[in-house]
Amino acid sequence: MSADSVAAAQAGEIPIGQLRSRGYWRSVWVRLRRDKVSVACAAVLILIALSAIFAPLLSPHDPYQGNVVKRLAPIGTAGYLLGTDELGRDMLSRLLYGGRVSLFIGLFPVFCALIVGGTAGIAAGFIGGRTNMAIMRLMDVFYAFPSILLAIAISGALGGGFSNVILALALILVPPITRVAESVTTQVRSYDFVEAARASGAGTWTIIRVHVLSNVLGPIFIYTTSLISFSIIVASGLSFLGLGVTPPTADWGLMLSTLRQAIWINPYAAALPGLMIFVTSLSFNLLSDGLRSAMDVRL
Amino acid sequence: MSDCRKNIRREPVTTCPPAPTESQPLLSVKGLRKYFPVKGGLLKRQIAAIQAVDDVSFEVRRGEVLGIVGESGCGKSTTARLLMRLIEPDAGQVIFDGKEVGMRDGMTVTDLRRHAQMVFQDSYSSLNPRLPVEDTIAFGPVVHGTARSKAKERARYLLNEVGLDPSRFGRRYPHELSGGQRQRINIARALALQPQMVFLDEAVSALDKSVEAQVLNLLLDLREEFNLTYVFISHDLNVVQYISDRVLVMYLGKVVEVGPIGDVYKEPAHPYTHALLSSRPSMDPEDRKKESPLSGDPPTPINPPSGCRFRTRCAFAEDVCARAVPALTPIRADGSWLAACHMIIPGSGHSRAAAINEATTGGTNG
């Protein structure tokens, strides 16, 4: 009870340091750090990201320069740590460079979709009424198609290539983010503190900035991180189908596609790009789960 | 606050005279009306209207506590939200401190929200979970142009006023506080803009009884300190009796009775007020009630009964009650006590109407 606890603390019974509160994001950080799986996944992802960023420094060979004599060398060949591909290019170098493309194609569309979908969803949720109806029914049109099929259709119509893949992926990621953003915003808007803020004389923008964003960005962000692995897999899938980036670009999905004919000759090397896709998307997924439970502070 | 108010802290029987009347009420409400449209069908056309608040008029004097009671769904909370302009009224005048709200030569809604504030029922959902409580309190002043440091200072001062040590509680988040502490924060937030009037919408209803008493006493202390006027909305008749100078009884969006708390509780003039008051459990086992004074739920406000809205549940209902809407009629000549019942309107056609006094006592006994 309040008066009692005040009295107790004033009498020095409760050490004040113990009662000091820490901010929400700080507590999320502390909880996330305690989760071993999340820490491991974060470490793996940082490693992959760093190796992609520093690919030119780390690569032992030119990823686009093949050696016809040494095609499909097995893992552990001298000079070619992870073997070579069907054109005799160094696998390690290609995997490092491939990470740059694959991570970018995986992450950038998610980021674009977060901006577009988040804005649309928060607007729909906060304004409500006809605006909500218009935005959400538009999203339902996209929902009517299976998302992978939609991505294939868009890339197919626009043609392959780097920017078209990003556009296709961003388009299929916008509707689910919008839907999540809309539902959390609608929920937050119904709370009395929004009404109390209006009663304090605050305008719409101030209310959105101070009271709505602080409560909806967390859930939207969690959901978005869970889409990263999906985006990476769909991007790889598009490359695999020849609708994504075009050869000879080093990209995990495309490498998987071109190496599949070699699966009987050099199965381990052929499986490496797939392994990279698997590890990356799994790490993103587990980290997203960890983030979700760390942010799920019962309020 | 007079001395007799202090005396009744433990014994909630009001013997106080009504608060000193001034020539001009702080808040005057005339003909306030809000119908919520019910939409249906393919084209979402309006097919009906919920008559949430219908032709409500009352006055609040400076410095008094006006209690508003009634069953769930009678329009108590809607009335408060209409007065704060959180909902736009369909019709009616709201005159605050002599200036009509929303009129060009009157008071803007922004001004109104500086002079009148509101405390919500749900202490949890009325505080932003991501904001330290100090920032929640300082939010209003900052919005109204106070410097951030000044607003923080005021927030800390108010935290102290509501009984929470600012250095310990200021940086906390709402989930780190108990329900009573959160409601104290809500009260501090309402006081941050130095309002003259505070609407308390079921402000203590969600609290434990012991905490409720603390918060009620806090409210009374703050009223004295800051010269506040309260409109206290509650379904708890005992709490209203404890805190209010006058009481207003609502039924299905209409005012059925308004008057000094002591008089209304002693001799309710309207059969609904009487039924509501006798629904309270008695402390005396000998005085046990054998049958419920009021049966059934209120009718739906979508198609309320014609004439007097209470007639469907009233033991004294006659033909006239279905024909004509009873107007609020003075029971006392000075107009301090009004009720809307055909039985007290002389010459209304009700069989009990002719003798006003008999009808009043009849209502009390029956």
Side-chain angles (χ1 to χ4, degrees), chain A residues 128-274:
Chain A
R130 288 198 182 152
T131 311
N132 181 310
M133 189 83 115
I135 293 175
M136 295 322 288
R137 290 304 82 77
L138 180 69
M139 294 305 155
D140 284 349
V141 173
F142 285 92
Y143 257 112
F145 305 97
S147 54
I148 295 178
L149 210 60
L150 191 65
I152 292 171
I154 296 169
S155 320
L158 298 173
F162 200 70
S163 50
N164 286 346
V165 179
I166 287 171
L167 185 65
L169 283 169
L171 277 175
I172 66 162
L173 291 171
V174 165
I177 293 177
T178 307
R179 191 173 269 193
V180 168
E182 189 259 353
S183 76
V184 292
T185 310
T186 305
Q187 193 192 352
V188 166
R189 192 184 64 147
S190 71
Y191 285 136
D192 281 343
F193 65 79
V194 174
E195 195 136 85
R198 270 212 294 149
S200 301
T204 307
W205 286 112
T206 316
I207 292 175
I208 290 182
R209 192 167 49 78
V210 179
H211 294 288
V212 176
L213 285 186
S214 60
N215 286 285
V216 302
L217 284 185
I220 297 173
F221 185 66
I222 294 176
Y223 181 71
T224 306
T225 54
S226 76
L227 288 176
I228 294 174
S229 65
F230 173 76
S231 176
I232 289 175
I233 289 172
V234 174
S236 308
L238 288 176
S239 305
F240 184 86
L241 293 172
L243 293 167
V245 290
T246 44
T249 312
D251 168 79
W252 294 339
L254 190 61
M255 286 163 74
L256 196 63
S257 167
T258 52
L259 275 166
R260 75 183 189 278
Q261 282 112 342
I263 196 122
W264 303 111
I265 306 156
N266 190 351
Y268 298 113
L272 280 174

Side-chain angles (χ1 to χ4, degrees), chain A residues 19 21 193 195 200 215, chain B residues 81 125 128 130 144 168 176:
Chain A
L19 283 167
S21 86
F193 65 79
E195 195 136 85
S200 301
N215 286 285
Chain B
R81 284 177 156 78
S125 86
N128 184 346
R130 294 280 180 274
H144 280 276
R168 287 184 58 234
E176 296 169 314

Side-chain angles (χ1 to χ4, degrees), chain A residues 47-59:
Chain A
L47 207 68
I48 291 174
L50 286 177
S51 69
I53 292 165
F54 295 110
L57 301 175
L58 297 170
S59 299

Side-chain angles (χ1 to χ4, degrees), chain A residues 2-67:
Chain A
S2 55
D4 287 354
S5 65
V6 172
Q10 278 161 359
E13 285 166 32
I14 302 168
I16 287 187
Q18 208 174 310
L19 283 167
R20 194 184 300 146
S21 86
R22 50 177 181 241
Y24 173 71
W25 291 106
R26 243 189 94 93
S27 77
V28 167
W29 174 238
V30 169
R31 287 158 68 99
L32 194 65
R33 250 188 354 196
R34 266 189 227 135
D35 181 10
K36 288 195 182 91
V37 177
S38 297
V39 171
C41 289
V44 169
L45 288 173
I46 289 169
L47 207 68
I48 291 174
L50 286 177
S51 69
I53 292 165
F54 295 110
L57 301 175
L58 297 170
S59 299
H61 295 272
D62 183 338
Y64 299 108
Q65 194 62 58
N67 186 337

Side-chain angles (χ1 to χ4, degrees), chain B residues 81-93:
Chain B
R81 284 177 156 78
L82 285 171
L83 295 175
M84 282 300 294
R85 285 293 159 108
L86 294 172
I87 312 172
E88 273 306 304
D90 294 337
Q93 268 187 314

Side-chain angles (χ1 to χ4, degrees), chain B residues 206-225:
Chain B
L207 304 176
D208 292 345
K209 277 292 158 202
S210 55
V211 180
E212 181 176 15
Q214 288 175 10
V215 174
L216 282 175
N217 287 335
L218 171 70
L219 285 171
L220 289 172
D221 291 343
L222 291 171
R223 177 177 87 136
E224 196 172 24
E225 191 174 344

